[in-house]
Amino acid sequence: MKKKDLLAVFVICLIISIFAACSTNKEAINICGKTYVYDKEGFGSDFTISFYEDNKFHYSEGGLSSYIGYGIWEIKNKIITLHDVDMPFCNNFILKGNKLVWQEKNSSNFLYLKISDGDTFSEADENYMNTEKDFIMYEKEVEYFMRKLIDQR
């Protein structure tokens, strides 16, 4: 009789853990492939953050920034954390509807533009995302030609 009770508790715990994992994956799916735009003024133009399905991201604080941040993002306890690869930056957000809300606690902020606790980034529409993709392709082309020039020296 006790073995059946123990088995029932185990099965219930297993089901709860499966549903908990699904909710985290659902949150991840909600930001994958999306770009978010800072609701205030960026550094010379829009401050954008783009999320990719391989848990990578990139951001640009605006047109006057020479730095394009990139790295790995993760979700734990409904907190979306961006771990920058080049700089010692770690920034936390929560997702509320179609907005990312920046969390000052345990965040390092950004390089040029310092944002405040509770500042928001809104999900960009499809037309904005296409423009962003065109920009990224152009950057990759420039990087290719720069490598070619360096190799020639």
Side-chain angles (χ1 to χ4, degrees):
M1 189 75 156
K2 289 193 178 214
K3 287 183 182 180
K4 287 184 180 180
D5 291 340
L6 192 58
L7 181 62
V9 169
F10 175 75
V11 169
I12 290 170
C13 289
L14 182 63
I15 291 170
I16 290 171
S17 66
I18 289 171
F19 282 116
C22 288
S23 69
T24 300
N25 290 338
K26 184 178 178 186
E27 290 170 351
I29 291 169
N30 285 340
I31 63 171
C32 289
K34 294 184 179 180
T35 296
Y36 291 83
V37 181
Y38 188 43
D39 289 332
K40 295 182 179 176
E41 190 172 331
F43 191 55
S45 66
D46 289 341
F47 180 172
T48 61
I49 302 173
S50 297
F51 294 89
Y52 303 100
E53 293 173 4
D54 57 359
N55 283 74
K56 293 181 182 172
F57 71 90
H58 87 270
Y59 67 86
S60 171
E61 295 177 51
L64 297 178
S65 172
S66 60
Y67 180 71
I68 295 177
Y70 67 97
I72 303 295
W73 62 267
E74 65 178 341
I75 297 178
K76 286 186 183 173
N77 300 323
K78 297 187 179 186
I79 303 287
I80 302 164
T81 303
L82 309 183
H83 301 281
D84 207 296
V85 171
D86 284 340
M87 300 292 239
F89 296 148
C90 176
N91 287 287
N92 297 302
F93 296 87
I94 57 172
L95 186 62
K96 286 190 176 180
N98 69 341
K99 292 187 180 278
L100 290 176
V101 182
W102 189 71
Q103 306 296 294
E104 184 175 27
K105 184 178 180 183
N106 298 323
S107 289
S108 54
N109 222 316
F110 296 91
L111 186 61
Y112 296 108
L113 196 64
K114 301 302 179 195
I115 63 177
S116 301
D117 192 36
D119 279 358
T120 57
F121 290 71
S122 293
E123 184 180 335
D125 65 17
E126 288 182 25
N127 293 330
Y128 190 93
M129 291 175 68
N130 289 336
T131 303
E132 183 80 9
K133 287 177 187 172
D134 292 342
F135 171 73
I136 293 168
M137 289 304 292
Y138 177 72
E139 270 189 298
K140 288 181 180 178
E141 291 170 3
V142 169
E143 185 179 7
Y144 169 77
F145 288 113
M146 292 300 288
R147 282 190 184 144
K148 254 184 132 169
L149 284 173
I150 291 169
D151 289 344
Q152 289 176 355
R153 290 184 171 197

